[in-house]
Amino acid sequence: MKLSRRSLLKYSIATAALASGGAWLVSPASIDFKPMPKLTLKPQYQQVFWYLIPAFLEGAVASDDVARKQHVLANIDQAFSILEPHTQAELNQLLEILASRGGWLLLSAGAARLSELSIAQRLLLLQQWQQHYLQLLRQAYQGLHELITAAWYGDPTAWPELAYHLPVQARGLVND
């Protein structure tokens, strides 16, 4: 079979388009917030948590409360570092998918970037993940939910706002 010059050009253009599209899909999304330099979490992972914290902690942490979100993000980083290695590996895979353009496009069903979603849209997306027929998405929701809520509710500085008082028997076990 002889390949004409016109066909060669068409195939070349199509191959280049596929290659660049594939590279775009696996590339990480741009960082549009200021990552915390002292944390061990990658800036892309920090960004995922940065925009999910106000949704998971609706009413407790506002989207514009930078100091509180930084505090919760630091707690997430600390909690992440003490997780079992296999749990860290699973969460790293999930965060890698969520931080990539293609992964986010797939898991969000074409929604806009996480940073562009309103709190109501983020809550709707999380609700869809929580009730999704794919167990993988339900597990992703559950893993993120547990890590973020543990980082918030396990922090003694958040307890006065919750009107929570540590039981007398537990004092001394926790640095409060």
Side-chain angles (χ1 to χ4, degrees), residues 50 65 67 116-117 144 162:
W50 186 260
D65 191 347
E116 297 169 350
L117 296 177
L144 293 170
L162 304 169

Side-chain angles (χ1 to χ4, degrees), residues 101-113 116-117 125 128-129:
R101 291 179 173 143
W104 177 252
L105 190 66
L106 181 69
L107 294 180
S108 69
R113 294 175 36 183
E116 297 169 350
L117 296 177
L125 182 66
Q128 290 171 349
W129 289 358

